[in-house]
Amino acid sequence: MGTNDFIYLHLDELSPDWECSLCSNPFIDPVYFPSRCGQTFCRQCLQLNYEKHAASCTHCNGKPLSQQDIQDQVALVHRILGRLSVQCRHCLQQDIERGDFLQHMREICPKRNVPCPAKDVKCPWNGSHDQLNQHVHTCPYEQLRALLTELLRDRNDLDQLRNDHRKLADRSKEQEDRIKQLEVANQGLNTQVIQITTLTDQCKRGANENASLKQEINVLNEGKETLTKQIEGMKEDLDKKLAEIDRLSKEINRLTPIESEYEQIKTAHASLKEQYDASQAALTKLEEYTQKIANQLRGEEQISVLIQEKQKLREELDELQPIKEGHRALLGYYQKSQEENECLKQQMINYDRIQSENQQYRQVLTTHERELEKRAIKIKHLELKINGPIGLSSNLFCFATSNGYTNPQLEEFIENCQRSSLLNLNNEKLSEDDLNLIVHKYFTTLKYKSVILRNNALTERSFSCLFSFLGVNSTLTELCISNNIISDQAIQQLSESLSFRNSTLRRLVLNGNQIDDQGLAHLSNMLKSNRTLRALGLHENLITDQSMKGFCEAVRYFNQTLEEITLYSNALISDASLEYFDGMITDNQVLQVLWMYDCQFSDEGKVKLQQTAQKKDTFNFQV
């Protein structure tokens, strides 16, 4: 209903409050802004001008408006406005309520626009209702209705046949597409047949190499048995040395109080010797004095007195005799203590020598154990080289089936990435079925080199199929699965896949997966045998000092390919691991990048590691 179809009557009696400020006419379908300025407008006027209104209204202050701010007026306002009197511009009928004007235009007005009854047979006439009867009497379409009806029916049938033909063409095209897909699948199967043929040839060639490889394994096993016997003998010698060390330690503990008593006796002996020497000097002087007096005095009484004094001195000398005997006994005990002290010193020398030999035995034993482990890894590589094609074929078979799950949106996204060697599924919120679908349908046919699965909240079951696939993949060089949730069991499965079977993966990023010491232990065992990884990202996990020794020793003594390690933001790695990192940096000549900032190293520990890193040229170290 437009305002051009009617004229308002008695408009001067209407209050200005019922008029729209935009069109200056009574409201039609009124709406208002309750939270803005509270004004009411026609809905159409406001929709055409609400931006202009927002810029000019003093109540809104130019605030941005949206359709959500608009609300309908109450039903009472609509009823009052519907009772306004209007006059039809077409038939000039007056006193029509505006609320009934739409019905008037549709059903009552003689000047209303109506089509010809023969519209169903394509009559194009439209005119006023009062001219309809005159047109019907002269309408050629109405006179030819029977013929036109039959022609229209034939045309409809023809259209139906065209639609059926189009559907058949579409179905034929679908069949052609299906045939093309089957041809592609057939080509894939032919490729697999060629691969299987190639693998069979490789297996035959490998069979020719098996004899020499098995002979080498036998030699290595014999060397392993010899080393095992040597280690057992060394362990027996080491046990004997340890028993001797324990005996010497007990002997040292027993002689410690004797040495203290010896020092006390030595001190008492020195004091008694001084007293004895003083008594001997006094006795010598007294005898000289007595002889002198005896020569000078001739009187009997004086001689008698001197004899008595001499007798007293002899008695005193006799009293000193036990002290002299004690002194001799102490001197003998002192000499005996000196002999025991010399024996103790010799035993201490023997103890130090045994300790040194024990340390050497331990180093040799550790070296032999590492050599045994390296030979075991080499044997495992040779066994896999012999049995590789068979194991590969069986693994390909296990990836040939899936559970029938589909995800058209995900499949369309992956197919758009077919021409790229990178499959970036970052923040795609993948489910377990999505990841299985990707592995089964695409990883075995499309040769991706890099796959990113960051921030998908995937769990252990989701990664099981992917980690198994790594054992047979021959193209993937980079795998990023950061910020997910990977359990120790999943890490163990990943480590087993990368230990011997995978030969292409160069970069593995596992940060932000809550990996703990048990998970790092699995990765450490993997690094002992893996020969392809160049970069390993383990930052922002839950690794502590407890697993650092095994990890550092794996990189230090076994791995010869890893060039980059990131361990930063593992807040539980501290100075307790300084010795292990120092040895790893010093002895491993391949490692070039090591980032360990945001850990719990002290300032002294950081300085020590930096000094070690500075000894190597072009070593990128951050702590």
Side-chain angles (χ1 to χ4, degrees), residues 462-473:
S462 304
F463 286 115
S464 178
C465 186
L466 174 62
F467 291 163
S468 297
F469 164 76
L470 292 178
V472 297
N473 176 261

Side-chain angles (χ1 to χ4, degrees), residues 132-390:
L132 179 61
N133 291 331
Q134 181 182 355
H135 168 74
V136 170
H137 289 298
T138 59
C139 179
Y141 289 89
E142 188 66 32
Q143 297 173 3
L144 299 174
R145 172 177 289 276
L147 179 60
L148 291 174
T149 301
E150 185 177 355
L151 290 174
L152 288 173
R153 189 186 311 111
D154 293 341
R155 181 180 177 180
N156 291 334
D157 293 340
L158 181 60
D159 291 339
Q160 182 65 33
L161 290 173
R162 288 176 178 174
N163 290 332
D164 293 342
H165 180 267
R166 189 180 299 108
K167 290 181 180 178
L168 288 174
D170 294 339
R171 186 175 298 176
S172 175
K173 185 177 180 181
E174 291 178 357
Q175 292 294 334
E176 290 178 358
D177 294 339
R178 178 61 178 167
I179 291 172
K180 290 180 180 179
Q181 291 178 359
L182 292 174
E183 289 177 352
V184 173
N186 187 32
Q187 291 177 359
L189 291 175
N190 291 333
T191 303
Q192 290 184 1
V193 169
I194 294 171
Q195 291 178 351
I196 292 173
T197 304
T198 304
L199 291 175
T200 304
D201 294 338
Q202 292 178 357
C203 184
K204 291 179 179 178
R205 290 194 299 269
N208 297 328
E209 298 176 1
N210 283 350
S212 59
L213 292 175
K214 287 181 179 180
Q215 184 177 1
E216 186 175 354
I217 290 174
N218 293 330
V219 173
L220 291 174
N221 286 329
E222 292 176 359
K224 179 180 177 181
E225 294 176 358
T226 303
L227 286 175
T228 303
K229 292 179 181 179
Q230 292 178 357
I231 289 173
E232 291 177 355
M234 290 180 178
K235 286 183 178 180
E236 293 178 358
D237 293 340
L238 183 61
D239 292 337
K240 292 179 181 179
K241 298 293 183 182
L242 290 175
E244 182 66 18
I245 289 172
D246 291 338
R247 187 187 66 77
L248 291 175
S249 298
K250 293 178 181 179
E251 185 68 19
I252 290 172
N253 294 332
R254 185 184 67 80
L255 292 176
T256 300
I258 296 175
E259 185 176 0
S260 176
E261 184 180 354
Y262 164 73
E263 293 295 334
Q264 295 177 359
I265 292 172
K266 185 177 179 181
T267 303
H269 167 72
S271 176
L272 291 173
K273 185 177 180 181
E274 290 177 359
Q275 294 178 6
Y276 176 77
D277 292 340
S279 300
Q280 287 284 53
L283 181 60
T284 303
K285 289 181 179 180
L286 182 59
E287 288 179 349
E288 290 177 355
Y289 179 74
T290 303
Q291 186 66 32
K292 183 178 180 181
I293 295 299
N295 294 331
Q296 293 178 358
L297 297 177
R298 302 294 183 181
E300 295 180 358
E301 293 179 358
Q302 292 178 348
I303 293 171
S304 177
V305 171
L306 291 174
I307 291 172
Q308 291 177 359
E309 290 180 359
K310 183 178 180 180
Q311 185 65 31
K312 289 179 180 180
L313 288 174
R314 288 188 178 277
E315 290 176 358
E316 291 177 0
L317 185 61
D318 292 337
E319 290 177 358
L320 291 175
Q321 191 65 28
I323 296 175
K324 185 177 181 181
E325 296 295 332
H327 168 69
R328 290 177 179 174
L330 287 175
L331 184 61
Y333 188 74
Y334 170 71
Q335 292 176 350
K336 184 178 179 181
S337 298
Q338 278 188 328
E339 293 175 356
E340 291 180 352
N341 190 24
E342 290 296 329
C343 181
L344 181 62
K345 287 181 179 180
Q346 186 63 37
Q347 289 178 349
M348 288 296 294
I349 293 172
N350 293 335
Y351 175 78
D352 293 336
R353 179 179 56 79
I354 293 173
Q355 283 282 60
S356 177
E357 292 177 356
N358 183 25
Q359 186 66 24
Q360 293 177 0
Y361 276 125
R362 288 180 184 274
Q363 292 177 355
V364 173
L365 182 62
T366 303
T367 302
H368 284 308
E369 288 176 348
R370 289 177 186 145
E371 184 65 26
L372 276 177
E373 191 168 358
K374 290 181 179 178
R375 292 197 175 193
I377 292 171
K378 187 175 181 181
I379 291 172
K380 184 66 175 178
H381 277 292
L382 292 173
E383 290 176 349
L384 286 174
K385 187 174 181 181
I386 295 173
N387 302 321
I390 299 175

